[in-house]
Amino acid sequence: QTHLLSAGGDRTLRRSSIWSAQQDCELSQGRETKRRSMHETSVRERRLPPVLALASSQRRERDWANVVTCHAGSPVAYSWDTTTKALAPHTLAARPAAPITAVAISACGNFAFLGSAIGAIDKYNLQSGKPRAAAAAEERHEGAVRGLAAAADGRTLFSCGGGGAL
């Protein structure tokens, strides 16, 4: 459409309009910032860690979460809903627990893929937040997963790892 998603070192996720600055907004992290005591930390420290990677799909934008982000050192990926401009109810955890380093969304908009620092790849349903598949232990990358891309046909997932394998 006419929007651009961006994230920066200020720990925010923003949606910017190509045509009108009046439509620009920051997606809300309210649910996560409320979990931390405001007496112990500053507003900046209560936000999610900086975003390492994000993926989005407009295919199911009006039905459920359509953006997934992974954050520095975090073993969970967060799903976002651009229609409500806020975090979606589901967090997606790497199995086994390890920092997530790459994310992707399927062309159909139904599934999110997570790549972790230990080379594992997991598939989650975005509507329910439930795990659907995982790469077998012998199929894992030797190093961290650095990139994920889902093919348009919905049958192939491309991944690249820190060890140089595609």
Side-chain angles (χ1 to χ4, degrees):
Q1 293 263 354
T2 60
H3 293 98
L4 176 70
L5 286 172
S6 63
D10 62 351
R11 300 178 175 205
T12 62
L13 180 62
R14 298 181 184 275
R15 188 180 80 171
S16 303
S17 171
I18 294 173
W19 306 113
S20 172
Q22 292 176 339
Q23 295 178 2
D24 294 356
C25 66
E26 176 182 326
L27 275 67
S28 172
Q29 297 183 20
R31 183 186 79 219
E32 290 300 312
T33 57
K34 288 177 186 174
R35 287 186 181 183
R36 297 176 182 95
S37 170
M38 68 175 67
H39 302 291
E40 298 174 10
T41 59
S42 69
V43 173
R44 180 177 167 83
E45 291 171 346
R46 288 195 308 264
R47 290 181 179 251
L48 295 171
V51 174
L52 294 178
L54 65 89
S56 69
S57 171
Q58 293 178 333
R59 183 64 54 112
R60 296 300 221 161
E61 184 174 25
R62 302 210 185 277
D63 299 326
W64 51 73
N66 63 318
V67 177
V68 176
T69 57
C70 66
H71 300 261
S74 178
V76 297
Y78 291 88
S79 58
W80 302 78
D81 187 338
T82 56
T83 56
T84 61
K85 301 175 187 160
L87 280 167
H90 307 297
T91 55
L92 315 173
R95 299 169 302 149
I100 297 172
T101 55
V103 292
I105 293 181
S106 63
C108 65
N110 292 329
F111 302 103
F113 301 96
L114 315 178
S116 72
I118 59 171
I121 298 173
D122 296 302
K123 177 182 177 181
Y124 280 84
N125 181 294
L126 278 173
Q127 183 180 14
S128 66
K130 294 182 179 179
R132 292 296 175 223
E138 59 273 1
E139 295 175 351
R140 291 183 182 166
H141 287 279
E142 289 183 21
V145 176
R146 296 293 178 203
L148 291 171
D153 67 3
R155 297 177 184 217
T156 307
L157 177 70
F158 297 97
S159 65
C160 58
L166 178 64

